[in-house]
Amino acid sequence: MAVVSTRNLTKVFKEGELGAVNNVNLETREGEFLVFLGPSGSGKTTLLRMIAGLETPTAGEILIGGKVVNDLTPRERRIAMVFQSYALYPHLTVYKNIAFPLKAQNVPKDQHKQKVEWASSLLGIGDLLQRKPRELSGGERQRVALARAIVREPSVFLLDEPLSNLDAKLRLSAREELERFHRRVGTTTIYVTHDQVEAMAMGDRIVVLNKGVVRQLGSPKEVYDDPADTFVATFLGSPPMNLIENADVICGFRPEHFRLAEDMKETAKINFQFRVENMEYLGAEYILSGNIVGGKVDGKKVIARLLLGHSFELGKTYDFAVPERHLKFFDVKTEVKVAPRPLTWQ
Ligand code: ADP
Ligand code: MG
């Protein structure tokens, strides 16, 4: 187990252009499951590849276990990386696939069996060792890729969207399996994804990236409940947080914090009229989208997420409220979080 940290880590692919990764400072905790979350092109893979030693930084340092590793090869860093396309060797059995890194590193052959058995039993694939990859399901192949990665007992695990080739159902079970696996081995893990649900579900903490810049590093609860800026506020959550600009401030509130005014027990709240323009029935809840009617923010589009219990009609206007404690405030220019302030909407 080891702590990974970066100091002002930067990667510029073409001189004069914006960096793919800009001045990133972060530190994992011992044994942590840290998630890099961001949209496509935000620099997640580049950051991970620099940590792995597969990409040379333009500037900055990478430390593993407190030592600068910039000049070490990937192998010397004792890191295991699993990519989106995990590329098992099709002509080799599962056993030989898992043993491959041992062979490549000249680990004495008499140790292979014991190590392969250890890794495969940890992932529950001990009975598949004589099969070829084509005889496995997607989830089993993924487990073989993980077993191959852990067989060298790495100090750090780097996973780059390892589940994105799986279908939705398999993804969920593979996710649970990865979580269980991490609890068992306790190896410091950095996991890359563009999927905010996956990030929230799996991460001890999440690094939210945009344009190669760390926007926020915090627990899932921190980044969801207390986003550092409007990017984080809207990237996490589905539907995203409503943002309404009024004077020098942007006010944000999440769709699930809407209530019909008549159902609202809290006294500190904002009230507004909401005309329902579209309605999605999702079984356990409604997603309503429409406009605010009247006041200074007349016509602003908003989305509400409501549990069943009321019926709504398209084109009708309802009295809604949001508790003040759920309102977030951001600066109009910088889009960065600012202190709460009185709202002057109505
Ligand atoms: P993500 O993994 O978040 O989708 P990447 O790290 O792959 O993002 O890419 C970040 C940015 O760097 C993108 O704009 C991408 O086009 C650019 N980039 C990535 N790899 C290279 C490369 N080898 N050469 C030039 N530009 C690259
Ligand atoms: Mg990527």
Side-chain angles (χ1 to χ4, degrees):
M1 265 186 278
V3 166
V4 177
S5 47
T6 68
R7 289 190 192 143
N8 302 320
L9 196 58
T10 298
K11 179 73 188 184
V12 182
F13 281 107
K14 283 195 201 87
E15 218 175 310
E17 285 190 1
L18 275 180
V21 171
N22 299 297
N23 246 328
V24 168
N25 289 287
L26 55 84
E27 182 162 292
T28 67
R29 293 175 181 153
E30 187 94 31
E32 179 176 40
F33 198 104
L34 185 70
V35 174
F36 291 173
L37 173 69
S40 172
S42 57
K44 306 181 295 295
T45 294
T46 305
L47 187 51
L48 206 67
R49 285 173 55 84
M50 285 196 284
I51 293 170
L54 299 170
E55 196 78 73
T56 311
T58 309
E61 287 178 331
I62 301 144
L63 294 90
I64 299 176
K67 286 201 199 94
V68 176
V69 297
N70 286 47
D71 294 331
L72 299 189
T73 63
R75 187 173 298 173
E76 289 165 340
R77 296 184 192 195
R78 291 197 55 226
I79 272 178
M81 187 151 170
V82 177
F83 301 91
Q84 182 178 338
S85 48
Y86 19 85
L88 300 176
Y89 301 105
H91 57 288
L92 297 183
T93 61
V94 167
Y95 181 97
K96 285 187 173 162
N97 264 285
I98 299 174
F100 197 86
L102 301 174
K103 205 172 149 195
Q105 282 179 36
N106 302 321
V107 173
K109 195 141 193 194
D110 57 347
Q111 293 177 23
H112 290 198
K113 189 161 179 284
Q114 180 221 339
K115 284 182 186 286
V116 170
E117 277 169 6
W118 165 78
S120 57
S121 74
L122 208 52
L123 285 145
I125 49 172
D127 50 350
L128 305 177
L129 294 176
Q130 296 317 315
R131 294 207 198 161
K132 296 275 177 66
R134 65 167 186 279
E135 298 162 332
L136 304 174
S137 71
E140 287 165 346
R141 271 184 224 148
Q142 190 227 358
R143 284 190 247 169
V144 175
L146 281 170
R148 185 175 61 180
I150 64 164
V151 75
R152 289 177 295 143
E153 299 173 59
S155 58
V156 179
F157 248 131
L158 304 179
L159 307 172
D160 192 354
E161 314 226 16
L163 308 185
S164 51
N165 287 340
L166 307 179
D167 64 43
K169 200 168 157 212
L170 200 52
R171 235 179 129 120
L172 195 64
S173 61
R175 185 168 100 192
E176 286 169 3
E177 211 160 87
L178 259 181
E179 289 169 313
R180 210 170 319 132
F181 168 69
H182 176 254
R183 279 197 296 274
R184 217 164 341 145
V185 295
T187 306
T188 306
T189 301
I190 302 179
Y191 183 95
V192 163
T193 183
H194 63 273
D195 180 336
Q196 46 109 8
V197 176
E198 212 168 89
M200 295 282 292
M202 299 179 88
D204 291 321
R205 290 186 304 158
I206 300 174
V207 179
V208 186
L209 284 159
N210 188 34
K211 297 180 182 161
V213 174
V214 174
R215 296 301 193 100
Q216 191 166 4
L217 199 179
S219 68
K221 191 167 163 49
E222 280 163 351
V223 293
Y224 190 84
D225 289 349
D226 194 17
D229 60 24
T230 56
F231 176 81
V232 179
T234 49
F235 196 71
L236 286 127
S238 174
M241 184 182 281
N242 294 293
L243 295 178
I244 294 192
E245 189 178 325
N246 184 224
D248 60 343
V249 78
I250 297 169
C251 176
F253 44 97
R254 293 212 175 269
E256 62 268 31
H257 293 138
F258 280 68
R259 295 283 174 281
L260 277 171
E262 64 195 61
D263 292 345
M264 175 78 63
K265 294 183 189 75
E266 308 205 25
T267 48
K269 61 188 173 183
I270 52 160
N271 285 289
F272 51 88
Q273 304 251 296
F274 175 61
R275 186 170 54 234
V276 177
E277 302 289 2
N278 192 40
M279 186 159 56
E280 292 174 2
Y281 169 74
L282 298 181
E285 61 189 14
Y286 287 115
I287 306 290
L288 305 179
S289 51
N291 316 317
I292 292 180
V293 178
K296 289 182 188 163
V297 292
D298 182 55
K300 296 274 190 199
K301 296 235 171 292
V302 276
I303 298 182
R305 198 168 129 194
L306 294 160
L307 296 178
L308 303 183
H310 284 276
S311 51
F312 297 95
E313 279 178 50
L314 290 184
K316 277 207 168 176
T317 301
Y318 300 87
D319 286 328
F320 271 90
V322 174
E324 264 178 25
R325 66 192 169 89
H326 287 312
L327 301 180
K328 307 292 167 195
F329 295 88
F330 306 96
D331 185 87
V332 163
K333 283 205 192 76
T334 63
E335 302 192 336
V336 169
K337 181 179 88 167
V338 292
R341 58 185 72 187
L343 261 191
T344 51
W345 268 9
Q346 285 95 349

